Amino acid sequence: MSAESRTDPRHPTVAPRERREAQGGPPPGVLAVVFTALFLAGLVLSTVLAGGDPFPSPFGETGEIVAYFRAHSDAVQVSGALQFAAAIPLAVYAATVSARLHKLGVRAPGATIALAGGLLAAGFLACCGLVSWTLSRTEVLELAPLVRALQYLAFATGGPGHVVTLGLLVAGIAVPGLLAGLLPRALAVTGLVLATIAELATLTLLFDGAALLLPLARFTCLGWLIAAGFLLPRRRTRKEL
């Protein structure tokens, strides 16, 4: 090939590589930040709209629970909408990270576990958001037993359902991150610990006191996913290979 043909725009030499890089998807660290921001915005805004009244525990008295939803339907609606919105970047995060792990040469189940865990976590969070939105409707609030049942469903999907599967996402990234040296060792080991705590949150379905594990696992996993999203490399270095 002549020098002229190599520089001719009709014979690009860099474009294929650029196209391959562009297929890496959006930065997972940014997706994790967006997901976390939307989730936290739902918590903060709903509390502000409710005049500082905390969201009722599903283990509380039925009368107090129904009174909260009837008095703060706008806050519940906003909370549900933002939780549903937060599920979208979480699903994209899981797909992006899974694809990147495959691109980095991970052939073990970790990449698939990350994808499955992330999609399940996003699905449970979306269901929680939609159920919460349903709890803001006037027609529903007239039936106290229905309000109680829907709150239990919102808690089950947005609590253990979401947190336990979020732990699968963390584990699916942390294990190959540790074994293949894709993440700093301390971060990968921390991810395994957090994933274990998240899986233990399953006990919430058997013991009310285990609900304390939910916020502990949820918020630490959110921070971990942000860090891992920014630190997971785009390509393997010779040292890693």
Side-chain angles (χ1 to χ4, degrees), residues 5 7 40 64 76 93 118 131 133 161 180 194 209 236:
S5 63
T7 58
L40 294 179
E64 296 178 357
V76 176
Y93 178 98
V131 173
W133 178 86
L194 297 181
R236 299 287 287 271

Side-chain angles (χ1 to χ4, degrees), residues 6 13 23 29 33 60 67 71 77-79 90 98 110 118 120 138 176 184 192 196 211:
R6 287 196 299 268
T13 58
Q23 292 175 359
V33 169
Q77 184 179 39
V78 169
S79 175
L90 176 58
S98 177
L120 284 171
T138 304
L192 294 177
T196 301

Side-chain angles (χ1 to χ4, degrees), residues 117-225:
L119 293 180
L120 284 171
F124 277 122
L125 185 61
C127 287
C128 177
L130 293 176
V131 173
S132 297
W133 178 86
T134 303
L135 279 166
S136 71
R137 314 313 296 172
T138 304
E139 301 84 349
V140 173
L141 296 176
E142 294 176 355
L143 303 173
L146 180 59
V147 171
R148 189 63 185 263
L150 288 175
Q151 195 201 9
Y152 275 132
L153 181 58
F155 172 76
T157 53
H162 172 67
V163 170
V164 172
T165 52
L166 193 69
L168 284 181
L169 171 60
V170 171
I173 301 171
V175 171
L178 176 63
L179 298 180
L182 300 175
L183 292 173
R185 182 177 179 83
L187 180 65
V189 171
T190 300
L192 294 177
V193 173
L194 297 181
T196 301
I197 296 174
E199 301 315 300
L200 289 175
T202 304
L203 295 172
T204 304
L205 299 174
L206 299 175
F207 309 103
D208 295 351
L212 294 174
L213 293 172
L214 294 175
L216 173 62
R218 186 197 306 274
F219 294 111
T220 52
C221 283
L222 291 181
W224 191 92
L225 289 172

Side-chain angles (χ1 to χ4, degrees), residues 49-136:
L49 290 174
D53 291 343
F55 199 82
S57 167
F59 309 117
E61 296 294 332
T62 299
E64 296 178 357
I65 291 173
V66 174
Y68 176 90
F69 285 111
R70 288 176 177 173
H72 306 299
S73 59
D74 290 344
V76 176
Q77 184 179 39
V78 169
S79 175
L82 288 174
Q83 286 187 7
F84 177 80
I88 306 305
L90 176 58
V92 179
Y93 178 98
T96 302
V97 167
S98 177
R100 182 171 295 189
L101 289 173
H102 282 299
K103 182 180 178 182
L104 290 169
V106 175
R107 297 294 178 263
T112 305
I113 291 174
L115 177 61
L119 293 180
L120 284 171
F124 277 122
L125 185 61
C127 287
C128 177
L130 293 176
V131 173
S132 297
W133 178 86
T134 303
L135 279 166
S136 71

